[in-house]
């Protein structure tokens, strides 16, 4: 156990928590669809389940997101997904894989989609330190592992520019925490994201 704790201490989980905070805005990307509608409201084109699978660059690494968001007529949404935080070092990659479940509110106008996070829960499922697999269960016995909700406050708002829309695919644009813009695609689906069980 001491060796395991020492290995993780070498990476410095406080630094990792800071790295995780970089992707706090990513969970804002629980969002997905719209078209050019004239007024603020919840338009029926949003209703249903939308999937996304993309990566997001951050300093010294990237974030990978695989998820679905289900939009409801009452202006609420449910998000299910996996978020992988990958940090590259000279000793190998540090990888933290989270299962994420979130809920919130949404609406849109003619140019933008707006969401507000109401609740989020995450659970770390896999860790690699210097490209070596770490026993998550054993690690939990010696230290408290960081969660995404530790750095992402309830009530967080986000805005997405609607670039294009079709019945089964939507292209959105958002700025990251560093002020750089990137695009991502949401695709209509009939199934919610399924967590893989080991």
């Amino acid at each position: 156990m001491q060796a395991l704790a020492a290995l993780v201490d070498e990476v410095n989980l406080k630094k990792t928590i800071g790295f995780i905070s970089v992707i706090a805005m990513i969970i804002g990307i629980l969002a997905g669809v719209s078209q050019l509608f004239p007024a603020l409201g919840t338009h029926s084109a949003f209703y249903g389940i939308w999937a996304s699978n993309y990566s997001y660059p951050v300093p010294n690494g990237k974030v990978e997101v695989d998820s679905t968001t289900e939009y409801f007529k009452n202006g609420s949404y449910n998000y299910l997904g996996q978020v992988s935080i990958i940090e590259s070092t000279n000793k190998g990659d540090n990888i933290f894989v989270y299962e994420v479940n979130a809920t919130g509110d949404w609406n849109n106008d003619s140019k933008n989609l707006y969401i507000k996070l109401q609740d989020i829960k995450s659970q770390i499922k896999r860790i690699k330190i210097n490209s070596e697999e770490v026993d998550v269960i054993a690690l939990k016995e010696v230290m408290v592992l960081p969660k995404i909700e530790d750095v992402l406050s309830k009530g967080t708002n986000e805005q997405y520019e609607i670039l294009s829309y079709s019945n089964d695919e939507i292209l959105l644009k958002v700025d990251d925490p560093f002020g750089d813009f990137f695009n991502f695609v949401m695709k209509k689906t009939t199934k919610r994201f399924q967590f893989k069980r080991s």
Side-chain angles (χ1 to χ4, degrees), residues 20-31 54-58 62-67 79 82-84 115 120 148 152 158 160 174-177 182 184:
I20 289 170
S21 69
V22 170
I23 60 94
M25 298 296 285
I26 283 296
I27 305 304
I29 301 171
L30 313 176
Y54 58 92
S55 63
Y56 173 87
V58 293
K62 62 181 178 178
V63 175
E64 296 178 347
V65 178
D66 186 8
S67 65
Y79 170 90
Q82 179 174 284
V83 176
S84 301
I115 67 164
I120 179 171
I148 291 174
L152 184 63
E158 189 54 85
Y160 305 89
V174 66
D175 62 327
D176 66 22
F182 71 96
F184 67 97

PDB file of all heavy atoms in Angstrom, residues 20-31 54-58 62-67 79 82-84 115 120 148 152 158 160 174-177 182 184:
ATOM      1  N   ILE A  20      -7.649  18.350 -13.727  1.00  0.00           N
ATOM      2  CA  ILE A  20      -9.055  18.002 -13.878  1.00  0.00           C
ATOM      3  C   ILE A  20      -9.918  19.255 -13.970  1.00  0.00           C
ATOM      4  O   ILE A  20     -10.890  19.302 -14.712  1.00  0.00           O
ATOM      5  CB  ILE A  20      -9.516  17.116 -12.696  1.00  0.00           C
ATOM      6  CG1 ILE A  20      -8.871  15.732 -12.824  1.00  0.00           C
ATOM      7  CG2 ILE A  20     -11.032  16.983 -12.657  1.00  0.00           C
ATOM      8  CD1 ILE A  20      -9.064  14.868 -11.617  1.00  0.00           C
ATOM      9  N   SER A  21      -9.527  20.302 -13.241  1.00  0.00           N
ATOM     10  CA  SER A  21     -10.323  21.525 -13.285  1.00  0.00           C
ATOM     11  C   SER A  21     -10.353  22.118 -14.678  1.00  0.00           C
ATOM     12  O   SER A  21     -11.283  22.824 -15.041  1.00  0.00           O
ATOM     13  CB  SER A  21      -9.793  22.545 -12.285  1.00  0.00           C
ATOM     14  OG  SER A  21      -8.527  23.039 -12.686  1.00  0.00           O
ATOM     15  N   VAL A  22      -9.309  21.819 -15.466  1.00  0.00           N
ATOM     16  CA  VAL A  22      -9.279  22.313 -16.836  1.00  0.00           C
ATOM     17  C   VAL A  22     -10.457  21.778 -17.626  1.00  0.00           C
ATOM     18  O   VAL A  22     -10.964  22.441 -18.531  1.00  0.00           O
ATOM     19  CB  VAL A  22      -7.957  21.899 -17.524  1.00  0.00           C
ATOM     20  CG1 VAL A  22      -7.997  22.188 -19.009  1.00  0.00           C
ATOM     21  CG2 VAL A  22      -6.793  22.635 -16.881  1.00  0.00           C
ATOM     22  N   ILE A  23     -10.924  20.571 -17.280  1.00  0.00           N
ATOM     23  CA  ILE A  23     -12.015  19.990 -18.058  1.00  0.00           C
ATOM     24  C   ILE A  23     -13.383  20.264 -17.434  1.00  0.00           C
ATOM     25  O   ILE A  23     -14.389  19.720 -17.858  1.00  0.00           O
ATOM     26  CB  ILE A  23     -11.814  18.480 -18.261  1.00  0.00           C
ATOM     27  CG1 ILE A  23     -11.766  17.732 -16.927  1.00  0.00           C
ATOM     28  CG2 ILE A  23     -10.613  18.196 -19.077  1.00  0.00           C
ATOM     29  CD1 ILE A  23     -13.035  17.178 -16.484  1.00  0.00           C
ATOM     30  N   ALA A  24     -13.402  21.128 -16.432  1.00  0.00           N
ATOM     31  CA  ALA A  24     -14.699  21.453 -15.836  1.00  0.00           C
ATOM     32  C   ALA A  24     -15.655  21.985 -16.891  1.00  0.00           C
ATOM     33  O   ALA A  24     -16.838  21.657 -16.902  1.00  0.00           O
ATOM     34  CB  ALA A  24     -14.537  22.483 -14.719  1.00  0.00           C
ATOM     35  N   MET A  25     -15.139  22.809 -17.787  1.00  0.00           N
ATOM     36  CA  MET A  25     -15.980  23.343 -18.843  1.00  0.00           C
ATOM     37  C   MET A  25     -16.468  22.243 -19.770  1.00  0.00           C
ATOM     38  O   MET A  25     -17.508  22.374 -20.410  1.00  0.00           O
ATOM     39  CB  MET A  25     -15.201  24.382 -19.654  1.00  0.00           C
ATOM     40  CG  MET A  25     -14.775  25.582 -18.831  1.00  0.00           C
ATOM     41  SD  MET A  25     -16.147  26.551 -18.196  1.00  0.00           S
ATOM     42  CE  MET A  25     -16.650  27.381 -19.686  1.00  0.00           C
ATOM     43  N   ILE A  26     -15.698  21.149 -19.842  1.00  0.00           N
ATOM     44  CA  ILE A  26     -16.093  20.065 -20.728  1.00  0.00           C
ATOM     45  C   ILE A  26     -17.438  19.492 -20.316  1.00  0.00           C
ATOM     46  O   ILE A  26     -18.238  19.101 -21.147  1.00  0.00           O
ATOM     47  CB  ILE A  26     -15.035  18.951 -20.704  1.00  0.00           C
ATOM     48  CG1 ILE A  26     -13.846  19.387 -21.539  1.00  0.00           C
ATOM     49  CG2 ILE A  26     -15.558  17.648 -21.249  1.00  0.00           C
ATOM     50  CD1 ILE A  26     -14.169  19.568 -22.972  1.00  0.00           C
ATOM     51  N   ILE A  27     -17.676  19.404 -19.036  1.00  0.00           N
ATOM     52  CA  ILE A  27     -18.938  18.833 -18.615  1.00  0.00           C
ATOM     53  C   ILE A  27     -20.071  19.774 -18.977  1.00  0.00           C
ATOM     54  O   ILE A  27     -21.223  19.401 -19.031  1.00  0.00           O
ATOM     55  CB  ILE A  27     -18.919  18.504 -17.110  1.00  0.00           C
ATOM     56  CG1 ILE A  27     -17.729  17.595 -16.826  1.00  0.00           C
ATOM     57  CG2 ILE A  27     -20.185  17.816 -16.683  1.00  0.00           C
ATOM     58  CD1 ILE A  27     -17.710  16.335 -17.637  1.00  0.00           C
ATOM     59  N   GLY A  28     -19.734  21.013 -19.248  1.00  0.00           N
ATOM     60  CA  GLY A  28     -20.707  21.904 -19.853  1.00  0.00           C
ATOM     61  C   GLY A  28     -21.092  21.393 -21.218  1.00  0.00           C
ATOM     62  O   GLY A  28     -22.143  21.726 -21.746  1.00  0.00           O
ATOM     63  N   ILE A  29     -20.246  20.582 -21.808  1.00  0.00           N
ATOM     64  CA  ILE A  29     -20.548  20.049 -23.132  1.00  0.00           C
ATOM     65  C   ILE A  29     -21.400  18.803 -22.955  1.00  0.00           C
ATOM     66  O   ILE A  29     -21.158  17.755 -23.505  1.00  0.00           O
ATOM     67  CB  ILE A  29     -19.255  19.777 -23.902  1.00  0.00           C
ATOM     68  CG1 ILE A  29     -18.493  21.076 -24.024  1.00  0.00           C
ATOM     69  CG2 ILE A  29     -19.519  19.245 -25.288  1.00  0.00           C
ATOM     70  CD1 ILE A  29     -17.125  20.930 -24.559  1.00  0.00           C
ATOM     71  N   LEU A  30     -22.376  18.942 -22.119  1.00  0.00           N
ATOM     72  CA  LEU A  30     -23.395  17.937 -21.956  1.00  0.00           C
ATOM     73  C   LEU A  30     -24.514  18.345 -22.908  1.00  0.00           C
ATOM     74  O   LEU A  30     -25.644  17.913 -22.765  1.00  0.00           O
ATOM     75  CB  LEU A  30     -23.919  17.942 -20.517  1.00  0.00           C
ATOM     76  CG  LEU A  30     -22.856  17.969 -19.443  1.00  0.00           C
ATOM     77  CD1 LEU A  30     -23.490  18.069 -18.076  1.00  0.00           C
ATOM     78  CD2 LEU A  30     -21.996  16.739 -19.533  1.00  0.00           C
ATOM     79  N   ALA A  31     -24.195  19.216 -23.807  1.00  0.00           N
ATOM     80  CA  ALA A  31     -25.175  19.907 -24.602  1.00  0.00           C
ATOM     81  C   ALA A  31     -25.115  19.438 -26.020  1.00  0.00           C
ATOM     82  O   ALA A  31     -24.195  18.795 -26.420  1.00  0.00           O
ATOM     83  CB  ALA A  31     -24.884  21.393 -24.511  1.00  0.00           C
ATOM     84  N   TYR A  54     -15.703  12.744 -28.890  1.00  0.00           N
ATOM     85  CA  TYR A  54     -14.711  13.688 -29.389  1.00  0.00           C
ATOM     86  C   TYR A  54     -13.592  13.846 -28.369  1.00  0.00           C
ATOM     87  O   TYR A  54     -13.692  13.385 -27.223  1.00  0.00           O
ATOM     88  CB  TYR A  54     -15.350  15.054 -29.662  1.00  0.00           C
ATOM     89  CG  TYR A  54     -15.999  15.657 -28.447  1.00  0.00           C
ATOM     90  CD1 TYR A  54     -15.291  16.506 -27.609  1.00  0.00           C
ATOM     91  CD2 TYR A  54     -17.326  15.361 -28.122  1.00  0.00           C
ATOM     92  CE1 TYR A  54     -15.879  17.040 -26.483  1.00  0.00           C
ATOM     93  CE2 TYR A  54     -17.921  15.900 -27.002  1.00  0.00           C
ATOM     94  CZ  TYR A  54     -17.196  16.738 -26.180  1.00  0.00           C
ATOM     95  OH  TYR A  54     -17.778  17.260 -25.064  1.00  0.00           O
ATOM     96  N   SER A  55     -12.516  14.501 -28.781  1.00  0.00           N
ATOM     97  CA  SER A  55     -11.418  14.811 -27.874  1.00  0.00           C
ATOM     98  C   SER A  55     -11.206  16.316 -27.831  1.00  0.00           C
ATOM     99  O   SER A  55     -11.554  17.039 -28.768  1.00  0.00           O
ATOM    100  CB  SER A  55     -10.131  14.104 -28.297  1.00  0.00           C
ATOM    101  OG  SER A  55      -9.718  14.559 -29.567  1.00  0.00           O
ATOM    102  N   TYR A  56     -10.616  16.769 -26.740  1.00  0.00           N
ATOM    103  CA  TYR A  56     -10.471  18.193 -26.458  1.00  0.00           C
ATOM    104  C   TYR A  56      -9.045  18.436 -25.974  1.00  0.00           C
ATOM    105  O   TYR A  56      -8.618  17.879 -24.971  1.00  0.00           O
ATOM    106  CB  TYR A  56     -11.485  18.536 -25.372  1.00  0.00           C
ATOM    107  CG  TYR A  56     -11.409  19.919 -24.797  1.00  0.00           C
ATOM    108  CD1 TYR A  56     -12.077  20.973 -25.395  1.00  0.00           C
ATOM    109  CD2 TYR A  56     -10.710  20.169 -23.617  1.00  0.00           C
ATOM    110  CE1 TYR A  56     -12.042  22.237 -24.839  1.00  0.00           C
ATOM    111  CE2 TYR A  56     -10.671  21.436 -23.056  1.00  0.00           C
ATOM    112  CZ  TYR A  56     -11.335  22.460 -23.671  1.00  0.00           C
ATOM    113  OH  TYR A  56     -11.309  23.720 -23.128  1.00  0.00           O
ATOM    114  N   PRO A  57      -8.244  19.233 -26.702  1.00  0.00           N
ATOM    115  CA  PRO A  57      -6.851  19.441 -26.280  1.00  0.00           C
ATOM    116  C   PRO A  57      -6.746  20.349 -25.073  1.00  0.00           C
ATOM    117  O   PRO A  57      -7.469  21.333 -24.942  1.00  0.00           O
ATOM    118  CB  PRO A  57      -6.214  20.086 -27.520  1.00  0.00           C
ATOM    119  CG  PRO A  57      -7.349  20.783 -28.197  1.00  0.00           C
ATOM    120  CD  PRO A  57      -8.566  19.947 -27.955  1.00  0.00           C
ATOM    121  N   VAL A  58      -5.835  20.005 -24.172  1.00  0.00           N
ATOM    122  CA  VAL A  58      -5.494  20.846 -23.027  1.00  0.00           C
ATOM    123  C   VAL A  58      -3.972  20.829 -22.897  1.00  0.00           C
ATOM    124  O   VAL A  58      -3.311  19.986 -23.496  1.00  0.00           O
ATOM    125  CB  VAL A  58      -6.142  20.323 -21.723  1.00  0.00           C
ATOM    126  CG1 VAL A  58      -7.657  20.448 -21.781  1.00  0.00           C
ATOM    127  CG2 VAL A  58      -5.736  18.895 -21.440  1.00  0.00           C
ATOM    128  N   LYS A  62      -4.895  15.831 -23.223  1.00  0.00           N
ATOM    129  CA  LYS A  62      -6.189  15.989 -23.861  1.00  0.00           C
ATOM    130  C   LYS A  62      -7.267  15.376 -22.976  1.00  0.00           C
ATOM    131  O   LYS A  62      -6.989  14.637 -22.024  1.00  0.00           O
ATOM    132  CB  LYS A  62      -6.212  15.312 -25.235  1.00  0.00           C
ATOM    133  CG  LYS A  62      -5.999  13.807 -25.192  1.00  0.00           C
ATOM    134  CD  LYS A  62      -6.017  13.210 -26.598  1.00  0.00           C
ATOM    135  CE  LYS A  62      -5.760  11.705 -26.565  1.00  0.00           C
ATOM    136  NZ  LYS A  62      -5.821  11.108 -27.924  1.00  0.00           N
ATOM    137  N   VAL A  63      -8.511  15.702 -23.306  1.00  0.00           N
ATOM    138  CA  VAL A  63      -9.673  15.101 -22.663  1.00  0.00           C
ATOM    139  C   VAL A  63     -10.487  14.410 -23.740  1.00  0.00           C
ATOM    140  O   VAL A  63     -10.711  14.973 -24.814  1.00  0.00           O
ATOM    141  CB  VAL A  63     -10.532  16.168 -21.955  1.00  0.00           C
ATOM    142  CG1 VAL A  63     -11.795  15.548 -21.390  1.00  0.00           C
ATOM    143  CG2 VAL A  63      -9.726  16.849 -20.867  1.00  0.00           C
ATOM    144  N   GLU A  64     -10.904  13.185 -23.493  1.00  0.00           N
ATOM    145  CA  GLU A  64     -11.754  12.448 -24.414  1.00  0.00           C
ATOM    146  C   GLU A  64     -13.128  12.261 -23.787  1.00  0.00           C
ATOM    147  O   GLU A  64     -13.233  11.904 -22.613  1.00  0.00           O
ATOM    148  CB  GLU A  64     -11.136  11.089 -24.749  1.00  0.00           C
ATOM    149  CG  GLU A  64      -9.814  11.201 -25.494  1.00  0.00           C
ATOM    150  CD  GLU A  64      -9.176   9.849 -25.776  1.00  0.00           C
ATOM    151  OE1 GLU A  64      -9.621   8.841 -25.179  1.00  0.00           O
ATOM    152  OE2 GLU A  64      -8.226   9.798 -26.580  1.00  0.00           O
ATOM    153  N   VAL A  65     -14.171  12.521 -24.567  1.00  0.00           N
ATOM    154  CA  VAL A  65     -15.538  12.438 -24.075  1.00  0.00           C
ATOM    155  C   VAL A  65     -16.342  11.491 -24.959  1.00  0.00           C
ATOM    156  O   VAL A  65     -16.318  11.594 -26.180  1.00  0.00           O
ATOM    157  CB  VAL A  65     -16.207  13.831 -24.076  1.00  0.00           C
ATOM    158  CG1 VAL A  65     -17.654  13.735 -23.611  1.00  0.00           C
ATOM    159  CG2 VAL A  65     -15.423  14.799 -23.206  1.00  0.00           C
ATOM    160  N   ASP A  66     -17.053  10.563 -24.335  1.00  0.00           N
ATOM    161  CA  ASP A  66     -17.962   9.644 -25.023  1.00  0.00           C
ATOM    162  C   ASP A  66     -19.247   9.654 -24.202  1.00  0.00           C
ATOM    163  O   ASP A  66     -19.240   9.212 -23.048  1.00  0.00           O
ATOM    164  CB  ASP A  66     -17.348   8.251 -25.091  1.00  0.00           C
ATOM    165  CG  ASP A  66     -18.172   7.285 -25.924  1.00  0.00           C
ATOM    166  OD1 ASP A  66     -19.141   7.726 -26.572  1.00  0.00           O
ATOM    167  OD2 ASP A  66     -17.845   6.078 -25.927  1.00  0.00           O
ATOM    168  N   SER A  67     -20.357  10.156 -24.773  1.00  0.00           N
ATOM    169  CA  SER A  67     -21.520  10.411 -23.924  1.00  0.00           C
ATOM    170  C   SER A  67     -22.811  10.525 -24.718  1.00  0.00           C
ATOM    171  O   SER A  67     -22.802  10.595 -25.947  1.00  0.00           O
ATOM    172  CB  SER A  67     -21.308  11.719 -23.153  1.00  0.00           C
ATOM    173  OG  SER A  67     -21.256  12.804 -24.064  1.00  0.00           O
ATOM    174  N   TYR A  79     -27.499  13.618 -18.568  1.00  0.00           N
ATOM    175  CA  TYR A  79     -26.240  13.307 -19.239  1.00  0.00           C
ATOM    176  C   TYR A  79     -25.632  12.051 -18.650  1.00  0.00           C
ATOM    177  O   TYR A  79     -25.565  11.896 -17.426  1.00  0.00           O
ATOM    178  CB  TYR A  79     -25.269  14.476 -19.070  1.00  0.00           C
ATOM    179  CG  TYR A  79     -23.857  14.182 -19.521  1.00  0.00           C
ATOM    180  CD1 TYR A  79     -23.470  14.423 -20.831  1.00  0.00           C
ATOM    181  CD2 TYR A  79     -22.903  13.693 -18.636  1.00  0.00           C
ATOM    182  CE1 TYR A  79     -22.174  14.175 -21.252  1.00  0.00           C
ATOM    183  CE2 TYR A  79     -21.606  13.435 -19.049  1.00  0.00           C
ATOM    184  CZ  TYR A  79     -21.248  13.680 -20.351  1.00  0.00           C
ATOM    185  OH  TYR A  79     -19.966  13.422 -20.764  1.00  0.00           O
ATOM    186  N   GLN A  82     -18.574   8.960 -20.342  1.00  0.00           N
ATOM    187  CA  GLN A  82     -17.235   8.655 -19.843  1.00  0.00           C
ATOM    188  C   GLN A  82     -16.293   9.783 -20.251  1.00  0.00           C
ATOM    189  O   GLN A  82     -16.252  10.172 -21.419  1.00  0.00           O
ATOM    190  CB  GLN A  82     -16.744   7.335 -20.422  1.00  0.00           C
ATOM    191  CG  GLN A  82     -15.339   6.948 -19.974  1.00  0.00           C
ATOM    192  CD  GLN A  82     -14.953   5.574 -20.466  1.00  0.00           C
ATOM    193  OE1 GLN A  82     -15.412   4.564 -19.938  1.00  0.00           O
ATOM    194  NE2 GLN A  82     -14.120   5.519 -21.479  1.00  0.00           N
ATOM    195  N   VAL A  83     -15.554  10.297 -19.266  1.00  0.00           N
ATOM    196  CA  VAL A  83     -14.583  11.358 -19.514  1.00  0.00           C
ATOM    197  C   VAL A  83     -13.199  10.823 -19.154  1.00  0.00           C
ATOM    198  O   VAL A  83     -12.974  10.392 -18.018  1.00  0.00           O
ATOM    199  CB  VAL A  83     -14.904  12.608 -18.677  1.00  0.00           C
ATOM    200  CG1 VAL A  83     -13.822  13.668 -18.864  1.00  0.00           C
ATOM    201  CG2 VAL A  83     -16.270  13.167 -19.044  1.00  0.00           C
ATOM    202  N   SER A  84     -12.302  10.837 -20.120  1.00  0.00           N
ATOM    203  CA  SER A  84     -10.929  10.375 -19.906  1.00  0.00           C
ATOM    204  C   SER A  84      -9.989  11.576 -19.943  1.00  0.00           C
ATOM    205  O   SER A  84      -9.953  12.308 -20.926  1.00  0.00           O
ATOM    206  CB  SER A  84     -10.524   9.368 -20.985  1.00  0.00           C
ATOM    207  OG  SER A  84     -11.390   8.257 -20.988  1.00  0.00           O
ATOM    208  N   ILE A 115     -27.136  25.999 -21.430  1.00  0.00           N
ATOM    209  CA  ILE A 115     -27.387  24.957 -20.443  1.00  0.00           C
ATOM    210  C   ILE A 115     -26.966  25.437 -19.060  1.00  0.00           C
ATOM    211  O   ILE A 115     -26.102  26.313 -18.919  1.00  0.00           O
ATOM    212  CB  ILE A 115     -26.669  23.633 -20.774  1.00  0.00           C
ATOM    213  CG1 ILE A 115     -25.161  23.796 -20.653  1.00  0.00           C
ATOM    214  CG2 ILE A 115     -27.062  23.115 -22.141  1.00  0.00           C
ATOM    215  CD1 ILE A 115     -24.450  22.476 -20.593  1.00  0.00           C
ATOM    216  N   ILE A 120     -24.207  16.876 -10.558  1.00  0.00           N
ATOM    217  CA  ILE A 120     -23.229  16.034 -11.248  1.00  0.00           C
ATOM    218  C   ILE A 120     -22.602  15.070 -10.256  1.00  0.00           C
ATOM    219  O   ILE A 120     -22.315  15.432  -9.116  1.00  0.00           O
ATOM    220  CB  ILE A 120     -22.141  16.891 -11.943  1.00  0.00           C
ATOM    221  CG1 ILE A 120     -21.120  15.988 -12.639  1.00  0.00           C
ATOM    222  CG2 ILE A 120     -21.474  17.829 -10.968  1.00  0.00           C
ATOM    223  CD1 ILE A 120     -20.149  16.747 -13.520  1.00  0.00           C
ATOM    224  N   ILE A 148     -14.732  14.969 -10.427  1.00  0.00           N
ATOM    225  CA  ILE A 148     -14.991  16.125 -11.283  1.00  0.00           C
ATOM    226  C   ILE A 148     -15.843  17.153 -10.561  1.00  0.00           C
ATOM    227  O   ILE A 148     -15.619  18.362 -10.690  1.00  0.00           O
ATOM    228  CB  ILE A 148     -15.646  15.668 -12.598  1.00  0.00           C
ATOM    229  CG1 ILE A 148     -14.616  14.883 -13.426  1.00  0.00           C
ATOM    230  CG2 ILE A 148     -16.176  16.844 -13.400  1.00  0.00           C
ATOM    231  CD1 ILE A 148     -15.155  14.256 -14.686  1.00  0.00           C
ATOM    232  N   LEU A 152     -16.241  21.487 -10.238  1.00  0.00           N
ATOM    233  CA  LEU A 152     -17.309  21.989 -11.097  1.00  0.00           C
ATOM    234  C   LEU A 152     -18.541  22.264 -10.250  1.00  0.00           C
ATOM    235  O   LEU A 152     -19.185  21.354  -9.758  1.00  0.00           O
ATOM    236  CB  LEU A 152     -17.637  20.970 -12.193  1.00  0.00           C
ATOM    237  CG  LEU A 152     -18.666  21.407 -13.221  1.00  0.00           C
ATOM    238  CD1 LEU A 152     -18.171  22.613 -14.007  1.00  0.00           C
ATOM    239  CD2 LEU A 152     -18.963  20.272 -14.192  1.00  0.00           C
ATOM    240  N   GLU A 158     -23.355  27.505 -19.382  1.00  0.00           N
ATOM    241  CA  GLU A 158     -22.528  27.482 -20.579  1.00  0.00           C
ATOM    242  C   GLU A 158     -23.372  27.827 -21.797  1.00  0.00           C
ATOM    243  O   GLU A 158     -24.587  27.594 -21.807  1.00  0.00           O
ATOM    244  CB  GLU A 158     -21.882  26.103 -20.757  1.00  0.00           C
ATOM    245  CG  GLU A 158     -20.834  26.042 -21.849  1.00  0.00           C
ATOM    246  CD  GLU A 158     -19.741  27.086 -21.683  1.00  0.00           C
ATOM    247  OE1 GLU A 158     -18.781  26.839 -20.957  1.00  0.00           O
ATOM    248  OE2 GLU A 158     -19.889  28.164 -22.291  1.00  0.00           O
ATOM    249  N   TYR A 160     -23.400  27.722 -26.205  1.00  0.00           N
ATOM    250  CA  TYR A 160     -22.826  27.113 -27.399  1.00  0.00           C
ATOM    251  C   TYR A 160     -23.406  27.766 -28.638  1.00  0.00           C
ATOM    252  O   TYR A 160     -24.615  27.943 -28.735  1.00  0.00           O
ATOM    253  CB  TYR A 160     -23.128  25.613 -27.427  1.00  0.00           C
ATOM    254  CG  TYR A 160     -22.658  24.934 -26.179  1.00  0.00           C
ATOM    255  CD1 TYR A 160     -23.488  24.838 -25.067  1.00  0.00           C
ATOM    256  CD2 TYR A 160     -21.374  24.434 -26.083  1.00  0.00           C
ATOM    257  CE1 TYR A 160     -23.052  24.254 -23.900  1.00  0.00           C
ATOM    258  CE2 TYR A 160     -20.925  23.846 -24.927  1.00  0.00           C
ATOM    259  CZ  TYR A 160     -21.760  23.757 -23.834  1.00  0.00           C
ATOM    260  OH  TYR A 160     -21.322  23.190 -22.671  1.00  0.00           O
ATOM    261  N   VAL A 174     -17.799  26.081 -29.209  1.00  0.00           N
ATOM    262  CA  VAL A 174     -17.672  26.527 -27.821  1.00  0.00           C
ATOM    263  C   VAL A 174     -16.231  26.957 -27.575  1.00  0.00           C
ATOM    264  O   VAL A 174     -15.306  26.489 -28.253  1.00  0.00           O
ATOM    265  CB  VAL A 174     -18.096  25.400 -26.842  1.00  0.00           C
ATOM    266  CG1 VAL A 174     -17.151  24.220 -26.905  1.00  0.00           C
ATOM    267  CG2 VAL A 174     -18.223  25.919 -25.419  1.00  0.00           C
ATOM    268  N   ASP A 175     -16.035  27.852 -26.604  1.00  0.00           N
ATOM    269  CA  ASP A 175     -14.670  28.211 -26.247  1.00  0.00           C
ATOM    270  C   ASP A 175     -14.248  27.458 -24.998  1.00  0.00           C
ATOM    271  O   ASP A 175     -15.048  27.198 -24.101  1.00  0.00           O
ATOM    272  CB  ASP A 175     -14.523  29.723 -26.046  1.00  0.00           C
ATOM    273  CG  ASP A 175     -15.380  30.256 -24.921  1.00  0.00           C
ATOM    274  OD1 ASP A 175     -16.478  29.716 -24.706  1.00  0.00           O
ATOM    275  OD2 ASP A 175     -14.964  31.216 -24.264  1.00  0.00           O
ATOM    276  N   ASP A 176     -12.959  27.062 -24.971  1.00  0.00           N
ATOM    277  CA  ASP A 176     -12.436  26.324 -23.827  1.00  0.00           C
ATOM    278  C   ASP A 176     -11.990  27.302 -22.732  1.00  0.00           C
ATOM    279  O   ASP A 176     -12.066  28.527 -22.912  1.00  0.00           O
ATOM    280  CB  ASP A 176     -11.300  25.393 -24.265  1.00  0.00           C
ATOM    281  CG  ASP A 176     -10.070  26.142 -24.758  1.00  0.00           C
ATOM    282  OD1 ASP A 176      -9.891  27.324 -24.405  1.00  0.00           O
ATOM    283  OD2 ASP A 176      -9.278  25.544 -25.506  1.00  0.00           O
ATOM    284  N   PRO A 177     -11.530  26.790 -21.568  1.00  0.00           N
ATOM    285  CA  PRO A 177     -11.136  27.691 -20.478  1.00  0.00           C
ATOM    286  C   PRO A 177      -9.981  28.620 -20.815  1.00  0.00           C
ATOM    287  O   PRO A 177      -9.704  29.567 -20.083  1.00  0.00           O
ATOM    288  CB  PRO A 177     -10.746  26.717 -19.363  1.00  0.00           C
ATOM    289  CG  PRO A 177     -11.502  25.469 -19.664  1.00  0.00           C
ATOM    290  CD  PRO A 177     -11.535  25.388 -21.155  1.00  0.00           C
ATOM    291  N   PHE A 182     -13.401  25.536 -30.320  1.00  0.00           N
ATOM    292  CA  PHE A 182     -13.386  24.275 -31.047  1.00  0.00           C
ATOM    293  C   PHE A 182     -14.826  23.861 -31.346  1.00  0.00           C
ATOM    294  O   PHE A 182     -15.765  24.295 -30.678  1.00  0.00           O
ATOM    295  CB  PHE A 182     -12.639  23.179 -30.284  1.00  0.00           C
ATOM    296  CG  PHE A 182     -13.350  22.671 -29.061  1.00  0.00           C
ATOM    297  CD1 PHE A 182     -14.130  21.528 -29.103  1.00  0.00           C
ATOM    298  CD2 PHE A 182     -13.212  23.334 -27.841  1.00  0.00           C
ATOM    299  CE1 PHE A 182     -14.772  21.049 -27.970  1.00  0.00           C
ATOM    300  CE2 PHE A 182     -13.850  22.862 -26.707  1.00  0.00           C
ATOM    301  CZ  PHE A 182     -14.634  21.716 -26.771  1.00  0.00           C
ATOM    302  N   PHE A 184     -17.724  20.707 -32.150  1.00  0.00           N
ATOM    303  CA  PHE A 184     -18.003  19.297 -31.905  1.00  0.00           C
ATOM    304  C   PHE A 184     -19.388  18.952 -32.446  1.00  0.00           C
ATOM    305  O   PHE A 184     -20.239  19.822 -32.606  1.00  0.00           O
ATOM    306  CB  PHE A 184     -17.885  18.948 -30.423  1.00  0.00           C
ATOM    307  CG  PHE A 184     -18.927  19.570 -29.542  1.00  0.00           C
ATOM    308  CD1 PHE A 184     -20.060  18.881 -29.166  1.00  0.00           C
ATOM    309  CD2 PHE A 184     -18.754  20.869 -29.075  1.00  0.00           C
ATOM    310  CE1 PHE A 184     -21.016  19.466 -28.354  1.00  0.00           C
ATOM    311  CE2 PHE A 184     -19.707  21.464 -28.263  1.00  0.00           C
ATOM    312  CZ  PHE A 184     -20.835  20.759 -27.903  1.00  0.00           C
TER     313      PHE A 184
END
